[in-house]
Amino acid sequence: MFKISKTKKIILATLFTCGINYAAVELPKAQALFEAKTDTNADTFDYIENQRRERRARALTDEQKTLLADIDEAKQRLPKPIEEGEPIPAAFEGDNLTYNTLTGEFTAKGHVDIIQLEGYRFQTLEAKGNINTQEIRIKNKAHVLQLKEDAPRVTLDGYNTVYNYGTKEGTMENVKGKAADYYIYGKRFEFYPDHLVAYDAYQTKCGAKHPDYRVSAKRMEIWPEQIIRMYDIQLWIGDMIVGTKKYDERKLESNGEPYFPTVGYNSERGAYIEDHFEFPVFNEHFKYVINPTIDHKNGVRSNTEFHYDNRDFKVRAFYGYYYDGEGRWIKKEPGIDFYYYRHLKILPISYHVEYEIGRWSFRNISSTHEEFEVGLDRDPIRFNKNFTLFLGTSYKITRDDEKSPTRQKTSVRGMNYKARLVKEFDDTFAAFVAYEYTKNTSQNSLYAFDNDSFSHKFLTGISYRITDKDRIVAGLKFNTASGSLEDVDYYWFRDLHCSTAILRWRAKRKEFEARWQFTPW
């Protein structure tokens, strides 16, 4: 469990969980009680930016390309192909090589380059070892490169290296380097055939010499499944510990939730701070999630959730306050959500089924709220590498039974459609156009949480990267039934070393927002 700093303890003290008790009801259609407004979907460009980051992360470095070329050349020089089950040979190069044919001992000096054909490279100025026992010993600095199939890409620099390229086991001290997208530092590394272990180590996705944030642990494990597991963790911002945790694990190639809080300001909420905590429960399928928030106008607003996640099937029980991004907080007290997702093997289509039921409250409105949705999504369709088309449709039923003397009921059911075409002109400029139809609106639903006041929407936007650190975005939303322009949003994204600042101006509403967050990549 986390041990949280004093400010976070104040937030967490407000949280608790409840059970759920409900009855299914049939609800007729009725008039909405209040109205909400929504966004311009300018977050479409998040998809493009994430794709670009992923391409950069997966691109081979020059030394990785050189290793692959050297391995191919070494294999061509072998007297015979490597048979299955045979030891993987290694190639040795150096300015000065000596070898004892009786004992198998060797010494290599100068520009020493040792390549194991399975995907390892050791470079140093002096190395000793034994051909018969397949052991390498490097007392001074060694540079290690791992480029194995179905394993994280690893680049390390360290001292006092001992490695057996036959058993694939070894040790290294005072190590720094990179595993997948993570920069990793450790007092001692251990190599095993199927994983790496680092002791008294820390990892970060911030590549600065003095990282803005990092996660230290007494023990870290890096597994071929692209997973990093950490034990006895401390969370750092600069030189300050902001929290501790016994255990955590993450996908190395995942852009998941950041460890650290987000702070910001907007016209609706004033200054605010948001955080996210996950606690494993029972096993890897269960977790307890807390999302605390403090803002100037509303004080402490939090929600707590219990998740069960088993591949395509997810269950989420929840209680607390949720924000729709439009200045409205709704209280769910409590609720439960079932979600099933599946990608068809024979067709480029995925489908999902979702059902939610619980008590929703907004100001003086409270009801039993139900949502049922079944949907289909086409895999992204790519044209000429630069155009991408997204298509999706769903059938949704939303029902509310208001808990009041008048007991107003609403029932909205119908199809929803969406189509979005994204164009990447180059690495700096992108644009999109989209059409959406949603049956639910603030005019026919009891709640307008996450609803527009109109069904037919045309959306468009552009994104332009001014510099390596600066990107501007504009997004527009039209009501196609009336022809009116409903929303205009402008964004400025500024990379601040290992964090991001986001400025947003909502021109139609004259609302300003500033947001600062650590980048999770």
Side-chain angles (χ1 to χ4, degrees):
M1 297 291 285
F2 268 112
K3 296 178 182 177
I4 306 301
S5 60
K6 187 174 182 180
T7 302
K8 295 183 179 179
K9 287 179 181 177
I10 296 173
I11 299 172
L12 302 183
T14 67
L15 303 172
F16 61 96
T17 57
C18 294
I20 180 167
N21 183 15
Y22 62 86
V25 291
E26 187 68 29
L27 303 174
K29 183 180 291 187
Q31 187 66 22
L33 297 182
F34 59 93
E35 178 182 346
K37 299 175 183 178
T38 58
D39 229 337
T40 58
N41 286 7
D43 57 354
T44 295
F45 298 114
D46 292 344
Y47 171 83
I48 294 175
E49 288 301 308
N50 288 334
Q51 290 292 306
R52 289 172 176 171
R53 290 186 178 96
E54 187 176 345
R55 287 197 295 267
R56 289 196 296 266
R58 292 187 177 182
L60 293 174
T61 64
D62 290 341
E63 71 166 337
Q64 289 169 341
K65 294 176 182 178
T66 301
L67 174 58
L68 292 179
D70 290 346
I71 288 174
D72 286 339
E73 182 182 349
K75 286 181 177 178
Q76 293 175 7
R77 295 201 305 261
L78 292 175
K80 64 174 184 176
I82 304 171
E83 299 291 339
E84 185 176 352
E86 289 185 351
I88 304 296
F92 296 79
E93 292 183 2
D95 294 340
N96 187 355
L97 291 172
T98 59
Y99 170 60
N100 189 317
T101 57
L102 297 178
T103 64
E105 285 288 317
F106 72 87
T107 299
K109 295 182 179 181
H111 298 286
V112 181
D113 193 4
I114 304 170
I115 300 174
Q116 186 184 8
L117 304 192
E118 192 178 14
Y120 291 95
R121 163 168 267 151
F122 291 83
Q123 292 177 321
T124 185
L125 294 178
E126 182 176 358
K128 296 182 179 181
N130 190 289
I131 296 294
N132 298 334
T133 62
Q134 298 181 303
E135 184 180 81
I136 302 169
R137 302 183 298 273
I138 304 172
K139 183 177 181 181
N140 296 315
K141 184 178 179 180
H143 179 73
V144 179
L145 182 64
Q146 172 184 288
L147 193 59
K148 291 178 57 180
E149 187 177 354
D150 300 325
R153 298 173 185 173
V154 176
T155 305
L156 301 174
D157 290 294
Y159 298 83
N160 294 327
T161 304
V162 178
Y163 183 75
N164 189 297
Y165 57 87
T167 63
K168 301 180 181 62
E169 294 182 355
T171 60
M172 178 181 275
E173 297 177 1
N174 297 321
V175 184
K176 65 178 181 179
K178 196 172 184 182
D181 293 341
Y182 286 86
Y183 296 92
I184 294 185
Y185 304 80
K187 288 186 178 180
R188 177 181 170 87
F189 265 57
E190 293 178 354
F191 301 90
Y192 295 95
D194 58 346
H195 68 286
L196 301 175
V197 179
Y199 296 93
D200 297 321
Y202 73 84
Q203 57 91 345
T204 177
K205 286 194 173 183
C206 178
K209 185 176 181 180
H210 300 289
D212 296 341
Y213 65 91
R214 55 194 168 101
V215 179
S216 65
K218 289 186 177 180
R219 176 185 172 100
M220 292 184 184
E221 299 172 356
I222 302 169
W223 292 84
E225 298 86 353
Q226 302 289 341
I227 291 175
I228 182 169
R229 296 185 175 126
M230 295 166 285
Y231 304 82
D232 297 317
I233 303 165
Q234 292 179 322
L235 312 179
W236 299 74
I237 295 180
D239 295 325
M240 180 177 65
I241 298 174
V242 298
T244 62
K245 193 177 182 183
K246 280 294 184 184
Y247 173 80
D248 193 24
E249 70 175 54
R250 294 214 164 187
K251 286 282 188 180
L252 285 167
E253 296 183 347
S254 171
N255 290 329
E257 293 283 348
Y259 287 102
F260 303 106
T262 295
V263 298
Y265 170 88
N266 68 29
S267 304
E268 293 288 344
R269 302 170 63 184
Y272 63 85
I273 181 169
E274 301 172 342
D275 216 333
H276 173 88
F277 303 101
E278 294 184 3
F279 308 91
V281 181
F282 306 133
N283 56 44
E284 68 273 13
H285 299 300
F286 295 88
K287 62 183 176 182
Y288 180 62
V289 178
I290 300 174
N291 299 297
T293 298
I294 298 177
D295 68 45
H296 177 70
K297 296 186 179 181
N298 298 285
V300 176
R301 290 288 174 90
S302 307
N303 64 68
T304 182
E305 301 178 349
F306 186 78
H307 292 199
Y308 171 77
D309 187 349
N310 191 355
R311 297 184 63 183
D312 302 328
F313 180 65
K314 300 178 181 180
V315 180
R316 181 175 62 105
F318 46 84
Y319 181 93
Y321 287 92
Y322 291 81
Y323 183 67
D324 70 352
E326 304 301 326
R328 290 179 171 85
W329 289 90
I330 197 164
K331 190 175 184 181
K332 300 184 180 183
E333 47 178 359
I336 192 166
D337 179 86
F338 302 89
Y339 182 82
Y340 181 78
Y341 167 89
R342 191 79 173 183
H343 190 278
L344 300 178
K345 294 182 178 179
I346 59 174
L347 294 173
I349 293 174
S350 60
Y351 68 91
H352 68 269
V353 180
E354 184 172 12
Y355 177 72
E356 177 185 335
I357 188 167
R359 176 69 63 83
W360 280 26
S361 296
F362 177 83
R363 295 176 183 166
N364 61 338
I365 305 169
S366 181
S367 76
T368 299
H369 180 85
E370 284 186 278
E371 292 183 8
F372 172 78
E373 183 178 60
V374 57
L376 294 174
D377 287 285
R378 175 66 164 80
D379 290 354
I381 304 171
R382 305 188 186 280
F383 305 98
N384 300 327
K385 297 183 179 180
N386 293 327
F387 282 98
T388 306
L389 178 64
F390 301 85
L391 299 172
T393 185
S394 68
Y395 180 79
K396 186 174 183 178
I397 302 172
T398 304
R399 298 187 289 196
D400 282 283
D401 184 1
E402 187 187 359
K403 304 304 178 183
S404 69
T406 59
R407 193 163 184 176
Q408 184 162 330
K409 300 179 180 181
T410 64
S411 180
V412 182
R413 61 182 67 205
M415 297 297 297
N416 303 285
Y417 309 96
K418 58 184 179 181
R420 188 174 305 180
L421 182 64
V422 180
K423 165 71 171 177
E424 293 185 68
F425 293 91
D426 52 39
D427 287 339
T428 61
F429 183 51
F432 82 92
V433 292
Y435 172 79
E436 294 182 4
Y437 172 82
T438 55
K439 184 68 175 179
N440 285 65
T441 71
S442 61
Q443 305 304 309
N444 59 20
S445 306
L446 180 63
Y447 294 98
F449 187 79
D450 275 344
N451 280 336
D452 279 313
S453 60
F454 52 97
S455 291
H456 297 272
K457 309 162 194 176
F458 174 78
L459 308 104
T460 186
I462 60 172
S463 172
Y464 183 72
R465 182 168 290 282
I466 306 171
T467 69
D468 290 340
K469 295 181 179 294
D470 298 279
R471 181 168 62 97
I472 57 174
V473 171
L476 296 86
K477 177 185 283 188
F478 295 85
N479 180 343
T480 58
S482 65
S484 59
L485 176 61
E486 297 291 333
D487 267 312
V488 181
D489 287 353
Y490 299 103
Y491 298 83
W492 177 25
F493 295 84
R494 170 69 176 178
D495 291 339
L496 299 172
H497 199 26
C498 301
S499 61
T500 301
I502 305 169
L503 302 181
R504 180 188 188 191
W505 173 245
R506 312 188 78 174
K508 293 283 288 186
R509 312 178 194 200
K510 294 181 171 52
E511 294 175 3
F512 172 75
E513 180 172 15
R515 187 177 180 90
W516 177 70
Q517 63 190 29
F518 288 103
T519 51
W521 41 79

